[in-house]
Amino acid sequence: MSTIQRSANAIRMLAVDAIQKAKSGHPGAPMGMADIATVLWQQFYQHNPGNPKWANRDRFVLSNGHASMLQYALLHLSGYDLPVEELKQFRQLHSKTPGHPEYGYTEGVETTTGPLGAGIANAVGMAIAEKTLAGQFNREGFPLVDHYTYCFLGDGCLMEGISHEACSLAGTLGLGKLVAFWDDNGISIDGHVEGWFTDNTPARFEAYGWHVIKDIDGHDEAALKAAIEVAQSVTDKPTLICCKTLIGFGSPNKSGSHDCHGAPLGDDEVAEVRKQLDWPYAPFEVPEDVYAQWDANEKGSEAEALWNKMFEEYAATYPDLAKSFKRRVIEQALPADFNEKADAFVRQCQADMQDMATRKASQNAIGFFANQLPEIIGGSADLAGSNLTLWPQAKGLQDDAAGNYIFYGVREFGMSAIMNGIALHGGFIPFGATFLMFMEYARNAVRMAALMKAKSIFVYTHDSIGQGEDGPTHQPIEQLANLRLTPNLTTWRPCDTVEAAEAWRQALVKQDGPSALVFTRQGTKTQARSESQLADVAKGGYVLKDCAGKADIVLIATGSEVSLAVDAATALGEQGVGARVVSMPSTEQFDAQSAEYKQSVLPAGAAKLAIEAAHTDFWYKYVGLDGDVVGMQTFGESAPGGELLKHFGFTVDNVVAKAKGLLG
């Protein structure tokens, strides 16, 4: 048996043993792809297990995330901080080997995969980040950013629509350092795929503009090595290597069938696998010579040392670029004076008192912050002119590899998952925009960003029935509640230029997760604020307008409905009702404040009425069961936005009537 075969069999047996011990998992893909993984990781993959965050490492994405034991075996064998005891805890609570790869749990795992197709889209984002970062920082003789993104994917990934969105864009952008390996084993959970997946996949990828290498024997070392070498030689196109494999390779009775896809092999079959693979070792036992073959620490540390030496020379030649690279890529920190400049911008917005749609206020904020942060990379799903995401210095990547803007086309889901890949790569803060309604297309990617705590900024405009004539297909109702209920995601719906600027600042300084910034199509009125009120905007909820003495009722509003609440409070005051207005641009940010502060804003005993052109149910956590909400419980209609707002009760008269009804 060759050295490479023994190395691959170590993967197979670790996977089989871990899955058998857990009595849960997917052995088929790790067994089938072990040879591909061995050739790639031992002969091509550039990484340093001693420093999993080395800036110029290759990225590896297991898009078929159910094959997680393949990745855990690779990391363990290569020398990462993943001892065999963790493999024995596969799929157990708080282990470093969860059922699907989880970013942040395991060193060397670059992204969370599980939802099929998400990984390849993340990989496209990583490849974009590599190419763009290289365009911005590389200079002649200094290939500072020079690495590949490798992605394993299966039939299921290719069936998912997101793979079309992401791979089509990858071809258009000419991502030459993206190499994908298709595990063409003809099996999915339900059985042989001929009944539901008969695409001409090579032709499909050729149509995208990819370089395609067909009919590679996924168990042939020489063929795999040659294919990867050819892939690396093609620099202007991403490459798909089509690998014919046998699912469950090494299992005498279950290979080639769906029986080994998503269930342990069973003790008897595991014993037969040991015989078949000539692996006379106990469960989880790997011979020292195999460990020695796999250990990548020495090679990895040498590669990083050479890169560090180059970086020192680069810093001497291009000190400003080196300083920027270190801050953005290695430290992933904002400039020291960022908050000072952001404060000045927010104050200027307050002083200017300009009335405008918050989408326009967002555009102004983008223009300001992008000039402070070259790491901002923007984009829109074919709605730049509506989302207002372009700024004077925006440069499309299709024209300039060193640019800062991605025209994603009509690919909301693909865009959002690609953004996650860019964020995880490092060196960039990505934002991408669409109408709030079409967050629905991208929902899974938004959730994945939150799960991974990736610093993606999701920009949503046309945020309510105020969207108007496009009708209920374009008018969000339940989407704000959906976003607000997502753990780790902070959602902002600002009411004016000031809150829009603060929302952008808060999204940019947040280090532990994504943000959703939600803006209006219709115009808004900038509200007057004292110094203390201006400071309180960052708390997510604050008293914007108060009455003399104790408030009889508190009006809570967000976004375009804040000015309505202010006008209604004035009308109530004229009728002898003391009304307080609370602007709550971010419920998550408000919820994070002290109990004392929250009580000071929303005092117990006062009646509470929430006003928002979105679903009512979310707001009962603030108004209580004895409170009320002016909101939506139906879909919208097609008509001018102003008419719709009146039709659905977003008027001073209706708010006043609701408030007085609460007071009896």
Side-chain angles (χ1 to χ4, degrees), residues 131-195:
K131 183 176 181 178
T132 305
L133 209 62
Q136 294 179 359
F137 285 100
N138 287 4
R139 296 295 183 268
E140 187 174 352
F142 293 100
L144 201 65
V145 183
D146 183 17
H147 65 78
Y148 289 89
T149 300
Y150 298 105
C151 181
F152 282 11
L153 68 163
D155 295 319
C157 295
L158 295 176
M159 289 184 236
E160 290 285 1
I162 190 174
S163 71
H164 297 260
E165 295 184 27
C167 294
S168 170
L169 184 62
T172 298
L173 294 178
L175 303 179
K177 290 194 172 175
L178 172 62
V179 181
F181 296 80
W182 170 32
D183 182 28
D184 182 13
N185 61 29
I187 298 291
S188 65
I189 290 178
D190 282 351
H192 292 270
V193 300
E194 287 87 350

Side-chain angles (χ1 to χ4, degrees), residues 432-497:
T434 186
F435 288 179
L436 176 57
M437 185 63 243
F438 302 128
M439 177 277 290
E440 293 289 352
Y441 281 128
R443 172 64 190 151
N444 184 260
V446 177
R447 184 177 190 270
M448 293 297 286
L451 185 63
M452 295 186 287
K453 299 181 179 180
K455 192 171 177 175
S456 297
I457 300 176
F458 302 102
V459 175
Y460 300 120
T461 68
H462 298 62
D463 67 352
S464 73
I465 57 172
Q467 151 72 348
E469 294 90 340
D470 283 333
T473 63
H474 285 53
Q475 295 166 5
I477 301 297
E478 70 276 25
Q479 284 65 40
L480 275 168
N482 190 324
L483 292 168
R484 289 167 176 155
L485 292 171
T486 303
N488 303 330
L489 175 68
T490 304
T491 301
W492 292 83
R493 187 175 185 243
C495 75
D496 61 8
T497 59

Side-chain angles (χ1 to χ4, degrees), residues 245-320:
T245 64
L246 181 68
I247 191 170
F249 183 97
S251 173
N253 301 302
K254 295 187 177 183
S255 63
S257 88
H258 68 284
D259 291 340
C260 65
H261 185 289
L265 298 180
D267 290 334
D268 291 344
E269 187 67 11
V270 171
E272 292 299 317
V273 172
R274 278 189 156 75
K275 294 177 186 175
Q276 181 83 7
L277 298 179
D278 191 19
W279 193 261
Y281 309 106
F284 299 100
E285 182 184 349
V286 177
E288 287 302 318
D289 66 307
V290 175
Y291 273 126
Q293 181 67 25
W294 269 109
D295 191 354
N297 277 286
E298 183 178 352
K299 182 179 177 182
S301 62
E302 288 175 356
E304 184 174 358
L306 286 172
W307 185 88
N308 288 337
K309 183 175 183 241
M310 178 177 63
F311 186 75
E312 289 176 8
E313 295 170 357
Y314 178 86
T317 310
Y318 303 102
D320 291 342

